[in-house]
């Protein structure tokens, strides 16, 4: 018999991925390796940006903040997933479930805002090169980053509080691998239309509008690059923003894939798969994309490796 609190639920059973025991073991090691590589890759980005004065620019400062966000995001999701792969029955308290969702929402909003800030930085660097250092100075960079963090915490807090005030009465099962929005709302026994309307408005503010800002920024960037007479010049300029464009594409494609798939019935397996992409795979891909396509990062990494014996 489940004990109930004022929400109607105290413990929630999270189903996760319904694999056989052998596949669960394989999945555990794959997720563990993914977690280790993600932490190491993003920590490497943070270390390189901190280590080299040549990377003390707004672009790499924003990139280091994105790396921090990715570390926190995968840490919010993967440890529970690893636990689910080891035990057949995973139960969490309702408060822990809401807390996990809150930090997940914070970090998803933060990623959206940071990618938008990074696109604005690239717009200034390519389209307004003579004014770039004057506009995008150290102080403005910090103001933009702090604003992104504060807005993310506040936006997530607003709708998480609204969700927690709903009446929940079961069933006590979440058919997902973490406490996402739709599974949580599926536990509510009352009208959730107000919550969904509130979330719609917030999504427009922190996801849709930033997406269009990014699109407009890259429209200007592409137009500016197109006016460069030499092909070599075009390639050199485009290389400064190609990594960011790939990361933006991966982020929004995987994110939209989840919410374009109906979250009912057999399609839950597809929803879980797409959710896995943007919660577990994307934080791993971001440092790989930037490391492979950025000569400055590779050069700094090479110097760091060469100088490592000197520190011993």
């Amino acid at each position: 018999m489940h004990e109930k609190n004022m929400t109607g639920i105290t413990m929630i059973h999270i189903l996760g991925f319904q694999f056989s025991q052998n596949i669960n073991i394989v999945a555990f090691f794959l997720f563990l390796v993914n977690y280790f590589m993600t932490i190491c890759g993003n920590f490497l980005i943070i270390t390189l940006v901190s280590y080299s004065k040549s990377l003390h620019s707004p672009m790499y400062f924003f990139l280091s903040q994105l790396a921090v966000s990715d570390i926190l995001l995968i840490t919010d999701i993967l440890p529970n997933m690893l636990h689910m792969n080891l035990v057949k029955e995973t139960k969490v308290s309702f408060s822990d479930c809401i807390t996990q969702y809150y930090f997940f929402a914070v970090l998803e909003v933060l990623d959206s805002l940071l990618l938008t800030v990074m696109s604005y930085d690239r717009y200034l660097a390519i389209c307004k090169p003579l004014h770039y250092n004057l506009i995008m100075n150290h102080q403005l960079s910090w103001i933009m980053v702090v604003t992104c963090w504060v807005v993310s915490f506040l936006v997530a807090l607003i709708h998480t509080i609204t969700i927690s005030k709903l009446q929940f009465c079961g069933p006590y099962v979440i058919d997902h691998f973490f406490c996402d929005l739709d599974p949580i709302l599926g536990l509510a026994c009352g009208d959730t239309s107000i919550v969904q309307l509130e979330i719609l408005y917030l999504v427009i503010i922190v996801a849709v509008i930033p997406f269009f800002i990014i699109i407009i920024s890259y429209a200007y960037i592409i137009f500016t690059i197109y006016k460069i007479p030499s092909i070599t010049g075009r390639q050199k300029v485009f290389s400064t923003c190609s990594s960011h464009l790939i990361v933006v594409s991966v982020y929004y494609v995987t994110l939209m894939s989840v919410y374009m798939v109906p979250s009912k019935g057999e399609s839950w397996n597809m929803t879980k798969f797409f959710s896995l992409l943007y919660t577990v795979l994307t934080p791993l891909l971001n440092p790989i994309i930037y490391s492979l396509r950025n000569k400055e990062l590779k050069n700094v990494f090479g110097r760091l490796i060469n100088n490592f014996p000197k520190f011993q």
Side-chain angles (χ1 to χ4, degrees):
M1 186 75 180
H2 292 274
E3 294 182 3
K4 297 183 180 181
N5 57 14
M6 61 182 296
T7 65
I9 302 175
T10 54
M11 300 301 295
I12 297 173
H13 182 197
I14 302 180
L15 297 180
F17 291 97
Q18 302 300 300
F19 297 138
S20 66
Q21 185 61 33
N22 290 335
I23 296 179
N24 266 339
I25 295 173
V26 174
F28 172 82
F29 284 105
L30 289 177
F31 289 144
L32 185 62
V33 170
N34 180 284
Y35 186 47
F36 176 77
M37 292 179 62
T38 301
I39 296 296
C40 290
N42 283 287
F43 184 73
L44 177 62
I45 295 288
I46 297 169
T47 303
L48 293 178
V49 173
S50 303
Y51 164 79
S52 175
K53 291 184 179 179
S54 65
L55 300 181
H56 289 177
S57 64
M59 179 177 73
Y60 293 108
F61 175 58
F62 298 141
L63 176 59
S64 67
Q65 294 298 306
L66 185 65
V68 171
S69 176
D70 285 340
I71 289 174
L72 294 176
L73 175 60
I74 201 165
T75 301
D76 184 49
I77 303 295
L78 253 185
N80 284 336
M81 283 182 60
L82 292 172
H83 181 257
M84 276 184 268
N85 284 115
L86 291 179
V87 298
K88 292 183 178 180
E89 202 170 304
T90 302
K91 292 182 180 179
V92 298
S93 68
F94 180 76
S95 59
D96 286 345
C97 188
I98 290 294
T99 300
Q100 184 188 41
Y101 172 70
Y102 170 69
F103 284 106
F104 164 73
V106 168
L107 297 167
E108 284 301 316
V109 173
L110 180 61
D111 276 3
S112 175
L113 297 180
L114 285 175
L115 290 173
T116 306
V117 167
M118 292 169 76
S119 71
Y120 177 67
D121 173 75
R122 291 300 82 205
Y123 160 76
L124 288 177
I126 295 173
C127 301
K128 307 286 184 180
L130 298 179
H131 300 91
Y132 177 76
N133 291 328
L134 182 63
I135 298 173
M136 191 58 72
N137 53 41
H138 182 73
Q139 183 179 6
L140 180 61
S141 300
W142 270 103
I143 290 174
M144 295 175 82
V145 164
V146 171
T147 301
C148 288
W149 279 95
V150 171
V151 170
S152 300
F153 277 107
L154 289 178
V155 167
L157 183 63
I158 289 171
H159 80 268
T160 302
I161 290 175
T162 306
I163 291 170
S164 64
K165 289 182 178 179
L166 292 172
Q167 183 64 36
F168 295 93
C169 53
Y172 309 99
V173 177
I174 283 183
D175 187 9
H176 212 329
F177 60 87
F178 76 104
C179 295
D180 202 357
L181 176 62
D182 284 343
I184 292 176
L185 293 183
L187 304 177
C189 53
D191 184 17
T192 61
S193 58
I194 294 178
V195 176
Q196 292 173 335
L197 186 62
E198 177 186 90
I199 291 172
L200 175 62
Y201 288 141
L202 292 175
V203 166
I204 290 174
I205 294 172
V206 300
V208 177
I209 293 177
F211 176 73
F212 280 106
I213 292 174
I214 293 172
I215 293 297
I216 293 170
S217 296
Y218 271 99
Y220 279 105
I221 288 171
I222 293 172
F223 180 72
T224 301
I225 292 175
Y226 181 75
K227 291 193 297 183
I228 298 175
S230 69
I231 296 177
T232 303
R234 293 178 188 176
Q235 292 175 340
K236 185 177 180 180
V237 173
F238 184 74
S239 66
T240 64
C241 60
S242 59
S243 298
H244 176 257
L245 185 58
I246 295 172
V247 169
V248 168
S249 301
V250 171
Y251 173 79
Y252 278 102
V253 167
T254 55
L255 193 62
M256 288 188 293
S257 297
V258 175
Y259 299 104
M260 289 174 64
V261 176
S263 55
K264 300 292 181 183
E266 294 181 358
S267 62
W268 262 121
N269 290 327
M270 190 61 68
T271 301
K272 289 179 188 178
F273 172 75
F274 285 122
S275 296
L276 194 66
L277 292 181
Y278 76 86
T279 58
V280 175
L281 188 61
T282 301
L284 172 63
L285 288 178
N286 288 350
I288 293 175
I289 292 170
Y290 274 101
S291 299
L292 291 178
R293 298 187 63 84
N294 191 291
K295 291 183 179 179
E296 286 186 86
L297 281 175
K298 288 190 286 188
N299 291 338
V300 171
F301 179 69
R303 293 202 302 269
L304 184 64
I305 294 298
N306 292 332
N307 291 333
F308 182 73
K310 300 178 182 178
F311 298 122
Q312 293 181 325

